[in-house]
Amino acid sequence: MATRDVSVTRVSPLSAFRVGLAMSLVGLVAWLIAVALLYVGMDAAGIWDQVNSLIGDVGGSQAVSFGLVISFAALLGAISTILTAVLAPLTAVIYNAIVDLFGGLQVRHQEEAE
């Protein structure tokens, strides 16, 4: 097996955007699944009934429902996805500027023989 040192001296902002967007979309799906499972678990424990009873006791008319919880989670997840997609190319530009000053990231590449 041959090894060699490789230096990462430039990251394309467009590539960083595509990878950041893809990873944040996967994270959004995982987030929504986790929120849905947590809601179902808390509903089975009777927590939402107690919360809705408490809201009704203080004079509120809004009840916490699955639709409300998943909508709020989707909104937070969408904001997070957009921020990640916008910040990924900015991070690549900052990395490229730092690499010009101090050098790139050193990676050891190992080739396997077949």
Side-chain angles (χ1 to χ4, degrees):
M1 290 187 245
T3 61
R4 62 182 169 147
D5 289 335
V6 180
S7 181
V8 179
T9 57
R10 185 174 189 294
V11 176
S12 168
L14 182 60
S15 176
F17 172 75
R18 288 190 301 236
V19 170
L21 181 62
M23 291 180 70
S24 63
L25 287 174
V26 169
L28 175 63
V29 171
W31 163 252
L32 291 176
I33 290 172
V35 167
L37 289 175
L38 187 61
Y39 180 88
V40 169
M42 291 172 73
D43 191 36
I47 293 174
W48 296 120
D49 294 331
Q50 292 177 356
V51 169
N52 289 331
S53 173
L54 179 65
I55 291 172
D57 288 345
V58 293
S61 62
Q62 178 70 35
V64 178
S65 65
F66 180 75
L68 180 68
V69 171
I70 206 76
S71 296
F72 186 69
L75 178 65
L76 287 178
I79 291 170
S80 173
T81 299
I82 291 168
L83 279 174
T84 301
V86 168
L87 291 177
L90 180 62
T91 304
V93 169
I94 292 170
Y95 174 79
N96 291 337
I98 291 172
V99 164
D100 288 341
L101 293 174
F102 300 109
L105 182 67
Q106 296 291 324
V107 179
R108 177 156 292 168
H109 181 259
Q110 184 172 359
E111 297 176 14
E112 296 184 21
E114 293 187 30

